[in-house]
Amino acid sequence: MKYLLHTYGCQMNVRDAESVAACLEAAGHLPAINEADADLIIVNTCSVRDKAEDKAVGKLGLLCAGKRTAPQRLVGVMGCMAQRRGAALLKRLPQLDFVLGTRQQRALPVILFRLAAGEHGIVQLDDPGVAPRVPDAHLSGSISAFVTVLLGCNRRCAYCVVPDVRGAEYSRPAKDILEEVHSLAASGTREVTLLGQSVMNYGRSNPVWDSATPSPGGFREDLPRLLEAVSAIPGVRRIRFTSGHPTGCTDEVVRAMREIPHVCPHLHLPVQSGSDRVLGLMRRGYTAAQYLDAVARLRSAMSDFTLTSDVIVGFPTETEDDFEATRRLMEAAAFDNTFIFKYSPRPNTPAAAMKDDVPTAEKMRRNQVLLEDQDLLGQRLNEACVGRTLDVLAEGVSLRNTQRWSGRSPGNKIVIFKHEPPIVAGDLVSVQITSAKPQALYGEVGLQAPDDRGQNKCTTP
Ligand code: 5AD
Ligand code: SF4
């Protein structure tokens, strides 16, 4: 069969989609070029906001309607909304062939056999009593790969649906992760991003090491030890981990970022609000001052540290003063980029019991104000890079301008660059930055950057 995946949502979903694609290809199926060409279409869904679910349901409706002209085509749904709504999706969309839960990607080949044998409307959701089946298959050939290290989430942020749809935390054994990274590096991957909803909790849910495994750097916490072991794998040139939580920025994590070769000086550290009152209602477990303290410790450890974040506007009871506190925090923390979300009540979350009392128009206004603030801030921070030379991991031809290449700096900034000598994806190149926009840097390749293996750290943003 030829398959097509439509993915909404976060990096975790992107990773799940890749593992499904790899499972399908291992079973002999091939990627389709478009919907008309596909025998199997899967919508990989997100539940984080109402709108994300509406979009996916709309897409599934169109795909199910398309079965009138292509009755053989299979249409399935996976991801967070599939897990949250389960069999109820079949009531709304009876033509759906299957509904696959968030930890069930590896069941897909068997489901396809069952569909071929005449079954219809198969629902396979997570069973909390069964050990999770970790997505570990990869498509070959990517320079940059996501590796899931922590499944689920044990925090109970008041607004968030994730603990319901992705289950309790489960940390993968370090040995399995290291084997996965070894084989990725051997097939050409140069950058790995270790994924977990709250990745700094790695190893806190269950043991992950064989007891005798030593740490050359004397690290005792599990995430630093994992970063150290990944860094020692030949071929790995860059290591990232996401998403962070301010309370997880321990002195060891900060030291690991500073000292372990290849760990990039960038964190995505969602703050959500700058108001202590709202942070309390959100049950985030820190104050604005504690967040800024974590940022200060990271910045003093790494001169070129870059920081990105998530902010929610219009959480129940958020006042103008609360909102202004968020604006001040964004400025004080100097975010290189911020993802801004309008609060959306999610069923069964603690915040769903509160009145969604910030009017939509006001949420939109606050959203717009923060977007404009962030644009100015991003422009200012990026302009400070003009004239500098950054190590850029070349990813491929720029989608917007095929005369240019695109890559990322150690600080995860997008760099669009011109080059004379031929390069291939995966090269580390030195790019002299000549201009800046809020979301990207522009420049030209000078000399090839030396392999940074063994050198102390990447030292450019
Ligand atoms: N409403 C709006 N934004 C939300 N997020 C999570 N839940 C909600 C919600 N109910 C945002 C948070 C999180 C990001 C992935 O999505 O900012 O960090
Ligand atoms: Fe990712 Fe959360 Fe959306 Fe699920 S609900 S795809 S975990 S952002």
Side-chain angles (χ1 to χ4, degrees), residues 10 47-50 158-162 197 243 268 270-272 284 309-313 339-346 349:
C10 66
S47 276
V48 84
R49 283 171 300 278
D50 222 14
Y159 49 80
C160 189
V161 78
V162 172
Q197 293 298 340
S243 284
H268 183 66
V271 67
Q272 312 300 1
R284 289 289 291 172
S309 198
D310 293 343
V311 165
I312 297 176
V313 292
F339 299 89
I340 300 150
F341 303 98
K342 297 187 276 290
Y343 171 70
S344 162
R346 307 311 296 134
T349 56

Side-chain angles (χ1 to χ4, degrees), residues 315-393:
F315 187 80
T317 77
E318 186 188 67
T319 63
E320 192 58 29
D321 282 353
D322 295 321
F323 174 65
E324 287 301 322
T326 300
R327 293 184 72 189
R328 285 195 299 276
L329 181 134
M330 284 174 62
E331 180 66 32
F335 294 142
D336 291 274
N337 199 6
T338 311
F339 299 89
I340 300 150
F341 303 98
K342 297 187 276 290
Y343 171 70
S344 162
R346 307 311 296 134
N348 304 321
T349 56
M354 301 174 76
K355 188 161 172 262
D356 181 18
D357 59 354
V358 179
T360 306
E362 183 57 17
K363 284 182 189 165
M364 287 170 70
R365 187 191 71 81
R366 292 179 189 176
N367 183 62
Q368 193 53 35
V369 170
L370 294 193
L371 284 174
E372 285 165 19
D373 285 355
Q374 182 57 54
D375 254 15
L376 291 173
L377 188 54
Q379 182 70 34
R380 210 171 73 213
L381 294 170
N382 280 354
E383 268 169 14
C385 297
V386 173
R388 300 183 66 180
T389 299
L390 307 186
D391 292 352
V392 173
L393 184 67

Side-chain angles (χ1 to χ4, degrees), residues 9-30:
C10 66
Q11 287 152 322
M12 199 62 90
N13 258 21
V14 172
R15 170 69 197 110
D16 291 346
E18 190 204 6
S19 79
V20 161
C23 276
L24 288 169
E25 294 192 15
H29 307 295
L30 297 167

Side-chain angles (χ1 to χ4, degrees), residues 221-251:
E221 293 175 15
D222 292 309
L223 182 67
R225 291 179 69 196
L226 183 69
L227 293 169
E228 191 178 44
V230 170
S231 175
I233 295 174
V236 172
R237 286 179 157 199
R238 282 189 176 175
I239 306 165
R240 304 182 187 280
F241 54 101
T242 197
S243 284
H245 191 279
T247 60
C249 293
T250 61
D251 289 345

